[in-house]
């Protein structure tokens, strides 16, 4: 009996599949592109920098940019390391300049018009602005000799794989990025609070408290400990941010706003409220060099509270943002909570310091015997005079021979070092004795530090805590404003016939028409919801109303991006959410049932049910129609059998055993069949009921009819 073809929604078998050479190349190219975007462009590293920011700082250090330099010149330096165009480099440079206010800890000083993070007004062109390294850049380069250097893209020069950063910059400055199949959104936290948390983690192994965000645009953070705990543990949570304002008569004066919006956006939103009838008479953006100032004038004093309510409820004056701490660690992207992220930073910093200290220790061990011999030589007047006389009256060869007589066990490199010294350096011994004493002391310090590198990190962080001052800017408040947002009256378009094509984890929504009728996919309506089962046992839901229509050639929406989850799963089954039950068969002979009516009424409320089905969901090989009486099961070793579909339903997270599967075999196909179907498939059905076995010699199996059941 030949193995039957597999249904469209079944897992692929473990058999090798011959992939055409052209497709192999396409997959390889796409993988290279994905790696380039994720690792080399969009996602921040454990040092808190994307490659372009790292290259900007390194290029400025190498070119000693300690005085104001034309920005265009700096961009030119960076292009030797970063092959992605001058404008992208300049846009990244703008983010690191102090006056642009993108970063809590800026690393570049700027002169000229650099724009502001809270405004859409652009910075001046690079030919008009100047910049130099900020004093804070010393924090970035502390330990450069402990960093691995790698070739640039063209191999012409070396660049640092990471920068050694003496503090957890990855948490102190905000970062966001979108790459192939993943996104990152890391808010900024206060420098001193991050350092204290890191010290606590090193000394106790844990962080008891939580970290609250801190932004350059100030404003309020509405305290929510449960969300902060999620961020501490998992890196995913929600932050509610609110601006600050004062009321002067009938004017509402906004002076601080959430980091993730702009004064231009707020002004536009206020105008939209005015157009909808909110009693606003005038809107003025008076922001200047002194800072942000947006004045909203109400029709009269009596309506100020009404206008304020509308502003807080319906504009970005109060907003929520979702965090996603995706960071490149050891060359691959990981989603980490703050605790684990700090653990990874400590591990990284330990590696930097270990390499740096070992290099210095090797130099100290090299210099100690040099100075021991030199001090001994210069302390004895007879030895010194004879050596000088041979060196000056004869030549260095005679002087070297004399040193060999005096110190037969010494390394030849020490003699070379002494002979290369200027003659005047051999006149006094006191400075050499002092240098030798310092070397002995430094050797002891290095040995102690190498034995306790975490202690070195703690000591450095405590020093930085007193050496630098970065006061908290965003005020943490318990005052929250919760509103039921007024829903605008929207005339909703009638649902239209839709075709949904699912390929791997890409979802494509097309209009169902004569032009697309021939395509395979799910035929549904434009407001339906599709549920997926993944290998983690989660139920994932995609509301088609959230997706735009695309063409047949488009790839569609990537499921991990839509759900804002890590790309660490595979889809094992998918279905349109309807008021029905669907059974799933597993390769080990078990089955389970999901009642999708549970989500019919609330299908638009949540996207993920974490305990959706059994944790063995990765073993699902097919779905079954419970309205049919029997299930045909086929195994990899060409065994088959029939079981009743009327098995006990234990709930969607539990499984019921259907049939025994022999060790070394597995079910690869499950098909719902009626008794009439069974009679057409096999001439003696009772022989195969409730057991798996080979086709009997005298029996016949109709594979053509099976194909019609699968089509």
């Amino acid at each position: 009996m030949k193995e039957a073809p597999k249904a469209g929604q079944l897992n692929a078998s473990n058999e090798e599949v011959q992939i055409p050479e052209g497709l192999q190349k396409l997959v390889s190219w796409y993988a290279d592109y994905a790696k380039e975007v994720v690792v080399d462009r969009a996602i921040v590293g454990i040092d808190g920098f994307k490659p372009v920011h790292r290259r900007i700082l390194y290029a400025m250090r190498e070119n000693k940019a300690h005085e104001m330099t034309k920005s265009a010149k700096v961009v030119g330096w960076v292009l030797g390391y970063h092959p992605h165009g001058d404008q992208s480099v300049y846009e990244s440079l703008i983010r690191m300049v102090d006056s642009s206010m993108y970063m809590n800890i800026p690393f570049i000083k700027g002169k000229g018009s650099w724009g502001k993070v809270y405004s859409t007004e652009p910075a001046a062109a690079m030919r008009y602005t100047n910049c130099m390294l900020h004093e804070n850049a010393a924090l970035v380069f502390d330990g450069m000799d402990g960093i691995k250097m790698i070739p640039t893209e063209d191999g012409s020069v070396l660049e640092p794989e990471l920068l050694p950063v003496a503090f957890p910059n990855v948490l102190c400055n905000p970062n966001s990025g979108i790459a192939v199949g993943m996104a990152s959104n890391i808010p900024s936290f206060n420098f001193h609070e991050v350092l204290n948390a890191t010290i606590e983690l090193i000394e106790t192994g844990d962080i008891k408290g939580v970290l609250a965000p801190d932004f350059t645009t100030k404003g309020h953070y509405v305290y929510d400990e449960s969300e902060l705990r999620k961020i501490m543990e998992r890196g995913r949570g929600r932050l509610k941010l609110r601006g600050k304002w004062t009321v002067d008569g009938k004017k509402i004066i906004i002076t601080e706003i959430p980091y993730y919006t702009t004064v231009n956006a707020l002004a536009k939103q206020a105008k939209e409220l005015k157009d909808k009838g909110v009693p606003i008479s005038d809107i003025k953006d008076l922001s200047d060099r002194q800072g942000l100032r947006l004045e909203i004038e109400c029709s009269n004093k009596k309506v100020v509270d009404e206008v304020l309510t509308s502003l807080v409820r319906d504009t970005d004056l109060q907003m929520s943002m979702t965090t996603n701490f995706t960071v490149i660690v050891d060359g691959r992207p990981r989603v980490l909570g703050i605790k684990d992220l700090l653990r990874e930073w400590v591990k990284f910093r330990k590696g930097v310091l270990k390499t740096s200290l070992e290099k210095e220790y090797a130099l100290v061990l090299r210099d100690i015997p040099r100075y021991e011999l030199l001090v001994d030589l210069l302390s004895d007047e007879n030895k010194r005079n004879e050596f000088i006389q041979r060196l000056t009256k004869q030549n260095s060869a005679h002087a070297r021979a004399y040193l060999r007589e005096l110190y037969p066990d010494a390394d030849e490199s020490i003699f070379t070092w002494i002979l290369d010294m200027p003659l005047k350096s051999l006149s006094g011994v006191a400075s050499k004795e002092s240098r030798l004493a310092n070397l002995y002391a430094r050797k002891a310090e290095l040995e102690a530090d190498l034995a306790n590198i975490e202690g070195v990190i703690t000591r450095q962080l405590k020093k930085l805590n007193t050496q630098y001052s970065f006061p908290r800017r965003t005020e943490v408040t318990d005052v929250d404003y919760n509103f039921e947002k007024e829903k605008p009256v929207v005339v909703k378009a009638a649902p239209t016939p839709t075709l949904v094509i699912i390929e791997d984890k890409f979802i494509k929504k097309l209009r169902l028409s004569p032009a697309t009728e021939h395509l395979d996919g799910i035929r549904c309506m434009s407001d339906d919801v599709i549920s997926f089962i993944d290998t983690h046992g989660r139920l994932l839901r995609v509301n088609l109303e959230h997706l735009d229509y695309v063409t047949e050639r488009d790839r569609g929406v990537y499921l991990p991006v839509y759900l804002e989850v890590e790309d660490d799963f595979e889809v094992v089954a998918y279905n349109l959410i309807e008021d029905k039950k669907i059974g799933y068969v597993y390769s080990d002979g078990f089955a389970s049932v999901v009642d999708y009516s549970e989500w019919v009424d609330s299908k638009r409320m949540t996207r993920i049910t974490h305990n959706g089905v059994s944790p063995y969901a990765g073993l699902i090989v097919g779905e079954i129609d419970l309205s049919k009486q029997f299930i045909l099961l086929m195994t990899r070793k060409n065994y088959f059998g029939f079981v009743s579909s009327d098995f006990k339903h234990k709930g969607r997270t539990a499984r019921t055993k259907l049939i025994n599967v022999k060790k070394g075999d597995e079910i690869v196909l499950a098909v719902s069949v009626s008794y009439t179907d069974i009679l057409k498939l096999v001439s003696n059905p009772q022989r195969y009921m409730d057991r798996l076995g080979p086709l009997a010699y005298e029996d016949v199996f109709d594979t053509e009819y099976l194909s019609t059941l699968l089509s």
Side-chain angles (χ1 to χ4, degrees), residues 266-323:
L266 280 174
K268 181 180 178 182
Q269 291 165 350
K271 184 179 183 303
E272 290 172 353
L273 290 178
K274 178 183 177 183
D275 293 342
K276 291 177 181 178
V278 176
I280 296 173
S281 60
D282 198 10
I283 303 163
K284 295 178 182 177
D285 180 4
L286 303 177
S287 304
D288 56 19
R289 289 185 178 182
Q290 305 303 315
L292 183 150
R293 185 181 177 92
L294 178 64
E295 290 189 359
I296 298 176
E297 187 172 340
C298 306
S299 301
N300 56 67
K301 290 183 180 181
K302 294 180 180 179
V303 297
V304 168
D305 287 343
E306 177 189 345
V307 174
L308 258 176
T309 299
S310 294
L311 289 171
V312 175
R313 182 185 61 207
D314 300 323
T315 76
D316 288 340
L317 187 57
Q318 177 171 282
M319 65 184 301
S320 293
M321 57 85 62
T322 302
T323 67

Side-chain angles (χ1 to χ4, degrees), residues 172-447:
C172 294
N173 281 315
N175 258 298
S176 62
I178 299 176
V180 178
M182 64 185 60
S184 179
N185 193 13
I186 303 175
S188 53
F189 298 85
N190 181 260
F191 176 84
H192 302 286
E193 293 171 14
V194 170
L195 264 57
N196 290 333
T198 309
I199 293 168
E200 181 185 358
L201 182 67
I202 294 172
E203 292 181 341
T204 69
D206 196 12
I207 303 170
K208 291 184 178 179
V210 294
L211 291 177
D214 188 26
F215 299 102
T216 57
T217 54
K218 302 179 182 179
H220 283 115
Y221 161 65
V222 181
Y223 187 77
D224 185 334
E225 184 166 352
S226 65
E227 291 295 327
L228 292 182
R229 290 286 176 195
K230 292 179 187 176
I231 295 171
M232 295 295 292
E233 300 296 336
R234 304 202 307 264
R236 298 184 188 276
R238 187 172 294 276
L239 303 176
K240 182 180 282 190
L241 308 174
R242 189 169 64 240
K244 287 187 180 180
W245 60 83
T246 57
V247 175
D248 183 8
K250 62 179 182 177
K251 290 182 180 179
I252 300 168
I253 304 168
I254 299 170
T255 53
E256 298 175 19
I257 62 174
Y259 181 86
Y260 296 95
T261 189
T262 64
V263 66
N264 312 78
L266 280 174
K268 181 180 178 182
Q269 291 165 350
K271 184 179 183 303
E272 290 172 353
L273 290 178
K274 178 183 177 183
D275 293 342
K276 291 177 181 178
V278 176
I280 296 173
S281 60
D282 198 10
I283 303 163
K284 295 178 182 177
D285 180 4
L286 303 177
S287 304
D288 56 19
R289 289 185 178 182
Q290 305 303 315
L292 183 150
R293 185 181 177 92
L294 178 64
E295 290 189 359
I296 298 176
E297 187 172 340
C298 306
S299 301
N300 56 67
K301 290 183 180 181
K302 294 180 180 179
V303 297
V304 168
D305 287 343
E306 177 189 345
V307 174
L308 258 176
T309 299
S310 294
L311 289 171
V312 175
R313 182 185 61 207
D314 300 323
T315 76
D316 288 340
L317 187 57
Q318 177 171 282
M319 65 184 301
S320 293
M321 57 85 62
T322 302
T323 67
N324 184 3
F325 286 64
T326 304
V327 179
I328 303 297
V329 180
D330 296 330
R332 66 185 185 91
R334 293 177 60 189
V335 179
L336 300 169
I338 288 177
K339 290 182 183 180
D340 286 335
L341 187 52
L342 286 177
R343 288 188 181 100
E344 290 295 337
W345 179 83
V346 171
K347 177 183 172 184
F348 158 72
R349 184 64 180 167
K350 283 174 67 177
V352 170
L353 289 179
K354 185 175 185 290
T355 303
S356 180
L357 292 172
E358 285 176 343
K359 286 181 178 179
E360 185 183 354
Y361 187 65
L363 293 176
V364 169
L365 292 182
R366 181 202 67 183
D367 287 348
I368 284 177
R370 287 181 174 184
Y371 278 92
E372 285 177 336
L373 191 150
L374 184 59
V375 166
D376 183 78
L377 177 66
L378 299 182
S379 299
D380 188 315
E381 190 173 347
N382 292 330
K383 291 180 182 179
R384 175 185 171 280
N385 290 340
E386 180 65 23
F387 172 71
I388 296 295
Q389 185 176 1
R390 291 198 184 193
L391 183 62
T392 57
K393 301 294 184 183
Q394 298 179 39
N395 55 41
S396 60
H398 285 82
R400 182 184 291 271
Y402 179 64
L403 290 175
R404 177 56 64 197
E405 291 174 17
L406 293 175
Y407 309 104
D409 297 327
D411 192 277
E412 198 69 29
S413 64
I414 298 177
F415 302 155
T416 302
W417 174 70
I418 293 175
L419 292 169
D420 287 342
M421 295 177 70
L423 193 60
K424 63 180 181 179
S425 298
L426 302 173
S427 58
V429 70
S431 61
K432 281 71 177 177
E433 290 175 334
S434 176
R435 172 63 176 154
L436 182 59
N438 290 337
L439 285 171
Y440 285 141
R442 186 58 183 153
K443 177 175 178 288
E445 290 174 357
L446 288 170
E447 288 172 345

